[in-house]
């Protein structure tokens, strides 16, 4: 039977907290799996493709793939999630008086040469003891819920067809159509009984659902488990926070797009930084700003292949400069330049936090700090492996552009949409760009206008110390002429612009703790005093800034303070060790999830805190 479906509505559904999700993936895309057994976010065939399950952004229209016990979950049972140790295989447990059930979710790693649109989500349902009734509901919503689809049932499953993508669901349990454009199944399992569900994607229409045998499942499970455990065995970190660092490494690998080596900032779009607010952005792209943290984090942990792959992606961006010789702040995961931003007005947004955006208009902004982050990442990588002359040639071209424009106002690290300013952080990172270029040239003997670069870096440094310092508040400020404090000042220490014990830096740290810090949580800035960001609303604390504070305090010799900040921050991950970009006033996760920047900052902080406590950290 084939039926045309144009409207999808899921009845009696509520939004789960952002922190109630785990993530699985195959190095091309991911799926977010909730404690309730629902896959509420998945984009196919890659991170920035349109969603096929998007209940995370509209519980009624977004689509979901849920397997859960068939009774009131909120009052009748406990729900737990865990990862199979040292893997990204997720286990969701349902604990009741009548029985204990488990769902094991994973995505087999895509092999080179496999079809671009072919992905698999494998779900095993079993009962450990007792008996449990289950309900399975699969209701896709193609192209963010904008495309209609047909469904064709067979003896072994169903195929959903849309104009651009097909999904096939196979099941060892009989399934039937429901009224929401999807399918459902109700079944009861007893101790040691299992059911298997496999969702497969394809562009063409030749999917033929075939149920998975227990032997086939076991093979796929073992192969996936071995892949993740073998990969993680490369990790060289053996310090005090090994579990958290390893989980962060596994997250970063999940957020890596294998064909190009790019790392997405987060696999989601439009999860709000303020519930009901408009700070909702698409993070499914790769920011140059994350580059230095990414290269550094991968290298110190021993993941050299990933660092080299990401460096290859950066190298390619430096070979395709704009006509004026500049770079843009972010690109698609395959290096695309167009991130045109639109709103999806038919979706209500997570907990009615509209607008839902796809694309990111900040790609058109002038953000001068990215040149420092780019050069810092290349400097770090060059200590591992020599960069090519061709790359060096293009870097000199970039630095020529920066030498002519570093004094201009820009949108800065926080990508403000309320007008350009002369941001101090942008000047600091411009200094970093020239400082690192000088170091590379001297180390390698590469041709460079060293006298010119040295003169520019000296001018930048003196200007920051004169115009970026406010004598009245005794701190570095956000932009020239203001008295607002900004947490990005902490990066002055981490980039070695200032020494950690410099009196100016110590006074700046003290002011950040006084005005921007709530317990261990650090806000980026106070929107009522800082440069207009074009939004006006408050937001949660920004987790990378909190980790920056801990590392800066450690480098300053304030180890007791530093360790307490770090230990408290580690309690604010979710139950699986995952972080969104921000933390709300009652500890809830806010913003896109999981966020690479936070996990990169965690790795750097734990690594250097460990060295400080061991007495081996060089300030």
């Amino acid at each position: 039977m084939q039926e045309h479906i144009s409207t999808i509505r899921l009845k009696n559904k509520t939004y789960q907290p952002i922190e109630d999700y785990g993530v699985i993936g195959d190095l091309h895309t991911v799926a977010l799996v909730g404690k309730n057994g629902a896959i509420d976010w998945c984009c196919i065939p890659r991170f920035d493709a349109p969603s096929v399950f998007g209940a995370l952004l509209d519980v009624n229209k977004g689509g979901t793939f849920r397997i859960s016990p068939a009774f009131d979950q909120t009052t009748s049972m406990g729900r737990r999630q865990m990862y199979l140790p040292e893997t990204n295989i997720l286990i969701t447990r349902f604990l009741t008086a009548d029985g204990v059930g488990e769902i094991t979710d994973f995505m087999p790693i895509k092999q080179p040469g496999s079809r671009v649109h072919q992905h698999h989500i494998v779900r095993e349902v079993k009962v450990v003891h007792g008996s449990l009734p289950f309900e399975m509901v699969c209701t896709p919503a193609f192209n963010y819920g904008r495309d209609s689809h047909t469904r064709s049932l067979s003896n072994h499953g169903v195929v959903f067809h849309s104009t651009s993508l097909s999904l096939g669901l196979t099941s060892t349990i009989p399934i039937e159509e429901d009224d929401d454009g999807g399918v459902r199944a109700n079944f009861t399992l007893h101790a040691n009984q299992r059911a298997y569900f496999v969702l497969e994607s394809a562009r063409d229409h030749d999917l033929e659902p075939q149920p998975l045998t227990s032997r086939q499942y076991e093979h796929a499970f073992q192969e996936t488990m071995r892949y993740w455990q073998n990969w993680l065995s490369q990790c060289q970190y053996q310090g005090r926070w090994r579990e958290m660092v390893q989980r962060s490494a596994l997250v970063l690998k999940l957020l890596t797009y294998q064909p190009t080596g790019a790392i997405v900032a987060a696999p989601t779009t439009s999860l709000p930084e303020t519930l009901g607010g408009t700070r909702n952005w698409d993070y499914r792209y790769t920011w140059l700003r994350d580059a230095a943290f990414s290269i550094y984090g991968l290298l110190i942990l021993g993941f050299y292949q990933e660092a080299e792959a990401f460096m290859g992606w950066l190298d390619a961006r430096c070979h395709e400069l704009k006509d004026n010789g500049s770079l843009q702040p972010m690109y698609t995961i395959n290096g695309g330049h167009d991130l045109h931003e639109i709103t999806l007005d038919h979706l209500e947004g997570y907990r009615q936090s509209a607008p839902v955006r796809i694309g990111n208009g900040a790609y058109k902004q002038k953000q001068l700090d990215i040149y420092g982050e780019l050069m810092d990442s290349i400097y770090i990588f060059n200590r591992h492996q020599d960069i090519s002359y061709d790359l060096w040639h293009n870097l000199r071209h970039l630095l020529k552009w920066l030498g002519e424009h570093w004094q201009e106002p820009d949108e800065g690290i926080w990508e403000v949409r309320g007008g350009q300013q002369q941001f101090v952080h942008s000047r600091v990172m411009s200094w970093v760009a020239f400082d690192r270029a000088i170091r590379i040239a001297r180390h390698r003997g590469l041709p460079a206008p060293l006298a010119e670069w040295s003169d520019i870096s000296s001018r930048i440094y003196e200007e920051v110390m004169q115009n970026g310092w406010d004598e009245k508040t005794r701190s570095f400020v956000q932009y020239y002429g203001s008295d607002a404090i900004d947490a990005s000042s902490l990066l002055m220490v981490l980039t070695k612009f200032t020494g950690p014990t410099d009196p100016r830096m110590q006074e700046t740290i003290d002011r950040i703790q006084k005005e921007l810090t709530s317990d261990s949580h650090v806000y980026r800035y106070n929107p009522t005093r800082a440069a207009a960001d074009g939004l006006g609303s408050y937001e949660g604390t920004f987790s990378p800034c909190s980790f920056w504070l801990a590392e800066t305090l450690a480098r300053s010799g304030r180890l007791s303070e530093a360790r307490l900040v770090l230990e408290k921050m580690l309690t604010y991950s979710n139950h699986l060790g995952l972080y969104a970009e921000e933390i709300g006033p009652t500890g809830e996760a806010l913003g896109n999830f999981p966020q690479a920047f936070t996990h990169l900052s965690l790795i750097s902080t734990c690594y250097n805190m460990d060295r400080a406590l061991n007495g081996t950290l060089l300030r």
Side-chain angles (χ1 to χ4, degrees):
M1 175 182 178
Q2 193 174 86
E3 180 183 352
H4 189 269
I5 310 298
S6 59
T7 302
I8 293 172
R9 186 167 183 84
L10 305 177
K11 302 178 182 68
N12 302 320
K13 301 297 178 183
T14 59
Y15 290 96
Q16 292 191 90
I18 294 170
E19 63 269 22
D20 274 10
Y21 286 92
V23 61
I24 58 174
D26 62 2
L27 308 183
H28 286 69
T29 189
V30 301
L32 267 60
V33 186
K35 281 185 176 181
N36 66 347
I39 294 176
D40 287 336
W41 183 254
C42 183
C43 300
I44 293 176
R46 64 185 208 182
F47 293 104
D48 55 356
S51 62
V52 294
F53 300 118
L56 196 62
L57 296 180
D58 193 308
V59 75
N60 294 310
K61 301 176 184 176
T64 189
F65 179 14
R66 176 176 56 82
I67 305 173
S68 61
F71 46 75
D72 183 358
Q73 300 175 27
T74 60
T75 60
S76 302
M77 67 180 176
R79 297 177 295 179
R80 302 288 187 273
Q81 278 185 322
M82 60 174 283
Y83 281 110
L84 190 73
E86 301 179 339
T87 77
N88 281 313
I89 297 174
L90 186 65
I91 300 172
T92 304
R93 311 185 75 209
F94 303 98
L95 314 175
T96 77
D98 297 323
V100 174
E102 288 186 354
I103 301 174
T104 300
D105 287 311
F106 63 92
M107 295 181 71
I109 304 303
K110 279 181 66 69
Q111 299 301 315
S114 60
R115 295 180 183 178
V116 172
H117 284 75
Q118 189 174 44
H119 300 262
H120 296 84
I121 297 174
V122 180
R123 314 195 74 181
E124 179 205 44
V125 188
K126 70 178 181 180
V127 168
V128 178
H129 68 78
S131 299
L132 279 181
F134 286 92
E135 178 184 58
M136 184 281 296
V137 175
C138 183
T139 312
F142 293 91
N143 190 15
Y144 306 108
R146 294 181 295 186
D147 289 355
S148 61
H149 66 268
T150 60
R151 60 185 173 187
S152 302
L153 263 69
S154 68
N155 291 333
H156 302 304
V158 62
V159 176
F160 302 97
H161 293 304
S162 74
T163 55
S164 59
L165 189 70
S166 295
L167 294 176
L169 175 65
T170 66
S171 169
T172 55
I173 299 294
I175 61 176
E176 60 184 21
E177 296 177 352
D178 66 12
D179 297 332
D180 297 321
V183 295
R184 68 173 54 246
N186 291 91
F187 56 99
T188 297
L189 296 179
H190 307 289
N192 299 317
Q193 288 186 329
R194 289 167 166 79
Y196 301 109
F197 299 86
V198 180
L199 190 79
E200 179 181 1
S201 67
R203 170 166 280 178
D204 49 34
H205 285 208
D206 62 357
L207 287 171
E208 294 183 7
Q210 295 294 327
L212 197 69
T213 67
S214 58
R215 179 174 293 182
Q216 290 171 326
Y217 169 82
E218 190 62 26
H219 176 76
F221 175 84
Q222 292 292 335
E223 285 290 303
T224 305
M225 179 180 69
R226 277 194 293 269
Y227 175 86
W228 288 115
Q229 291 180 345
N230 289 340
W231 180 82
L232 191 61
S233 67
Q234 302 171 76
C235 185
Q236 297 177 0
Y237 178 80
Q238 299 296 324
R240 292 168 174 82
W241 300 281
R242 183 167 171 259
E243 268 192 51
M244 292 300 295
V245 168
Q246 288 192 344
R247 178 50 54 192
S248 291
L250 285 163
V251 171
L252 293 177
K253 185 63 173 174
L254 273 181
L255 300 185
T256 301
Y257 183 57
Q258 190 175 55
T260 65
I263 300 174
V264 294
T268 57
T269 179
S270 300
L271 291 181
E273 298 170 20
T274 306
L275 287 179
T278 60
R279 296 177 182 269
N280 316 321
W281 313 111
D282 193 345
Y283 274 18
R284 298 172 298 159
Y285 307 109
T286 302
W287 268 250
L288 293 184
R289 183 167 296 115
D290 295 0
F293 281 92
S294 299
I295 296 292
Y296 178 72
L298 292 169
L299 288 177
I300 62 175
L301 296 184
F303 297 112
Y304 303 123
Q305 185 176 348
E306 284 70 24
E308 290 165 7
F310 188 49
M311 187 64 220
W313 183 89
L314 287 174
D315 192 325
R317 304 294 75 75
C318 293
H319 280 75
E320 51 184 33
L321 306 179
K322 292 182 180 179
D323 293 338
N324 64 4
S326 65
L327 293 166
Q328 60 189 56
M330 69 198 77
Y331 298 84
T332 69
I333 51 180
N334 67 348
H337 291 232
D338 186 5
L339 282 67
H340 179 65
E341 182 178 303
I342 64 172
T343 60
L344 301 179
D345 295 329
H346 68 288
L347 298 178
E348 69 177 17
Y350 176 79
R351 294 191 176 181
Q352 294 79 51
S353 298
V356 171
R357 295 182 174 95
I358 57 173
N360 197 312
Y363 81 100
K364 294 182 178 180
Q365 290 185 349
K366 179 167 64 177
Q367 298 174 17
L368 295 172
D369 63 297
I370 64 172
Y371 298 93
E373 283 121 10
L374 173 68
M375 288 305 306
D376 198 26
S377 65
I378 293 171
Y379 168 72
I380 292 167
F381 184 81
N382 186 68
R383 293 186 295 181
H384 163 70
Q385 180 178 304
D386 292 344
I387 62 172
S388 69
Y389 174 77
D390 288 340
L391 175 56
W392 182 247
H393 176 78
N394 284 294
L395 294 175
R396 289 173 62 186
H397 191 45
L398 281 173
L399 290 166
K400 184 177 185 299
W401 182 90
L402 183 61
E404 297 169 352
H405 295 274
W406 67 267
Q407 291 180 304
E408 297 173 1
D410 72 335
E411 279 84 7
I413 182 174
W414 306 131
E415 302 176 351
V416 299
R417 300 193 179 197
Q420 297 180 343
Q421 295 287 351
Q422 292 179 310
F423 288 107
V424 172
H425 179 71
S426 296
R427 305 299 183 271
V428 169
M429 295 311 296
S430 295
W431 173 86
V432 168
F434 289 103
D435 175 78
R436 302 313 191 258
I438 292 169
R439 292 172 185 264
I440 295 172
R442 287 175 174 165
H443 173 69
R444 293 278 309 282
L446 294 169
L450 291 176
E452 177 186 339
W453 288 354
S454 181
D455 177 65
I456 295 173
S457 67
S458 295
R459 284 163 49 204
I460 297 173
Y461 201 99
E462 293 287 1
E463 184 178 291
V464 168
M465 287 301 185
Q466 181 176 344
N467 298 331
W469 173 260
D470 182 60
E471 194 63 35
K472 183 177 179 181
T473 60
R474 300 293 300 173
S475 73
F476 289 107
V477 292
Q478 186 186 51
Y479 62 93
Y480 292 173
S482 75
D483 63 0
I485 188 73
D486 191 303
S488 63
S489 295
L490 295 167
L491 292 174
M492 288 181 165
V493 171
L494 305 191
T495 59
K496 302 188 185 302
F497 180 86
T498 64
T501 58
D502 186 300
R504 289 190 175 195
M505 198 63 236
Q506 286 295 303
E507 289 179 291
T508 300
I509 293 171
D510 290 342
R511 188 179 173 204
I512 289 172
Q513 288 181 301
K514 180 180 179 181
E515 297 186 21
L516 296 182
T517 303
S518 174
D519 196 18
S520 62
H521 303 154
V522 181
Y523 292 93
R524 297 187 296 174
Y525 51 81
N526 182 339
T528 64
R529 298 185 63 178
D533 58 18
L535 300 168
S537 60
Y538 280 89
E539 59 179 359
T541 56
F542 195 64
S543 293
C545 294
S546 303
F547 286 114
W548 298 347
L549 175 62
E551 184 172 346
T552 301
L553 288 168
R555 290 181 177 273
S556 302
R558 297 161 64 171
L559 277 175
S560 295
E561 290 179 74
R563 185 164 188 179
L564 185 58
V565 171
L566 174 59
E567 295 286 3
K568 285 184 175 180
M569 275 302 298
L570 295 179
T571 70
Y572 283 94
S573 71
N574 80 344
H575 56 289
L576 297 167
L578 309 181
Y579 287 87
E581 61 181 312
E582 296 188 357
I583 297 172
T586 58
E588 70 274 20
L590 293 173
N592 285 305
F593 172 87
Q595 192 208 30
F597 207 4
T598 298
H599 286 279
L600 288 163
S601 301
L602 180 154
I603 290 169
S604 176
T605 301
C606 290
Y607 176 80
N608 287 299
M609 185 80 71
D610 214 50
R611 295 171 67 199
L613 292 168
N614 292 339
T616 59
L617 177 64
L618 299 177
R619 296 180 187 174

